[in-house]
Amino acid sequence: MLGHMTPTRADVAAMIDHTLLAPEATPAEVEALIAEARRLGVYAICVSPSMLPVRAPGLVVATVAGFPSGKHHSLVKGAEARLAVDQGAAEVDMVIDVGAALAGDFNAVLTDVITVREAVDDRAVLKVIIESAALTDDAIVGACRAAEQGGADFVKTSTGFHPAGGASAHAVRLMAETVGGRLGVKASGGIRTAADAAAMIEAGATRLGLSKSAAVLDGFAE
């Protein structure tokens, strides 16, 4: 976390997962994503598991599991994550069962996270998407605690596909307070400007999921 210092373009680029998860994405668009990621100097690319494997030397390759609804059996999420790692993914962003979190069934959330964690073992960074815009504050806290207990490396706000919306500074701050620096916090969903990104970083985000990375980075000084 960069604290109250104004982040530079390079600071922000080093936090970005440059993302292409559109259902209609083509292999050519993934290649364009990789080329743009290299040009921008971002940390990682994030693509759908069906697009793996990809050649992206110098970039971390991330993918998703149980995306975007989270309404997949835990074993299916685990198998999807394991296959993705076998195909070269170094990070997996899994979606919890949002309904379980809303119902207060955090044991179900915990089981979900543990299943995926065990499936990938220590071969991948695990980020847990809680779909914060769809949750109450109490459910956000409970989901983050379950993610930490289950062995996650990050908690993440959003898929970017939920009608309730994406990241908010309020949710990021609450998530950061809950995990207390023990886990990373990834803000994603609806971050389209430098002002949006700066607000998330100020609130405690340590990673950003962006599809409009160039436009965001253009708003930061070198």
Side-chain angles (χ1 to χ4, degrees):
M1 190 165 62
L2 298 169
H4 295 285
M5 294 171 58
T6 301
T8 66
R9 190 182 197 279
D11 290 332
V12 179
M15 301 171 68
I16 291 175
D17 292 355
H18 190 42
T19 301
L20 177 62
L21 295 169
E24 66 275 16
T26 65
E29 288 173 323
V30 172
E31 289 303 315
L33 179 87
I34 293 167
E36 185 176 39
R38 285 212 188 88
R39 179 175 63 80
L40 295 172
V42 300
Y43 180 75
I45 58 161
C46 185
V47 297
S48 299
S50 63
M51 308 310 288
L52 298 171
V54 297
R55 282 185 50 79
L59 294 164
V60 171
V61 176
T63 192
V64 291
F67 194 90
S69 75
K71 288 293 190 184
H72 308 66
H73 194 287
S74 296
L75 292 174
V76 172
K77 294 179 193 180
E80 184 175 35
R82 184 187 299 111
L83 177 59
V85 174
D86 288 345
Q87 293 187 311
E91 301 192 351
V92 175
D93 296 23
M94 66 164 287
V95 189
I96 65 165
D97 183 334
V98 180
L102 272 175
D105 187 359
F106 298 111
N107 283 332
V109 177
L110 175 61
T111 298
D112 217 15
V113 177
I114 288 173
T115 302
V116 179
R117 176 81 276 171
E118 290 182 344
V120 301
D121 197 26
D122 60 356
R123 297 188 298 148
V125 168
L126 179 60
K127 309 190 202 90
V128 173
I129 306 172
I130 66 167
E131 210 68 273
S132 57
L135 300 182
T136 64
D137 283 4
D138 285 347
I140 288 172
V141 171
C144 287
R145 288 175 175 164
E148 181 174 6
Q149 189 178 353
D153 300 294
F154 280 78
V155 286
K156 175 178 170 182
T157 59
S158 323
T159 60
F161 286 78
H162 199 286
S168 70
H170 170 74
V172 169
R173 188 171 294 108
L174 183 57
M175 292 163 70
E177 289 171 354
T178 302
V179 300
R182 296 177 299 277
L183 277 63
V185 178
K186 179 175 172 181
S188 67
I191 304 169
R192 298 186 177 90
T193 67
D196 292 339
M200 300 303 163
I201 294 166
E202 176 66 23
T206 58
R207 192 82 71 86
L208 301 171
L210 306 178
S211 58
K212 306 296 184 186
S213 304
V216 168
L217 287 171
D218 282 347
F220 289 94
E222 293 291 347

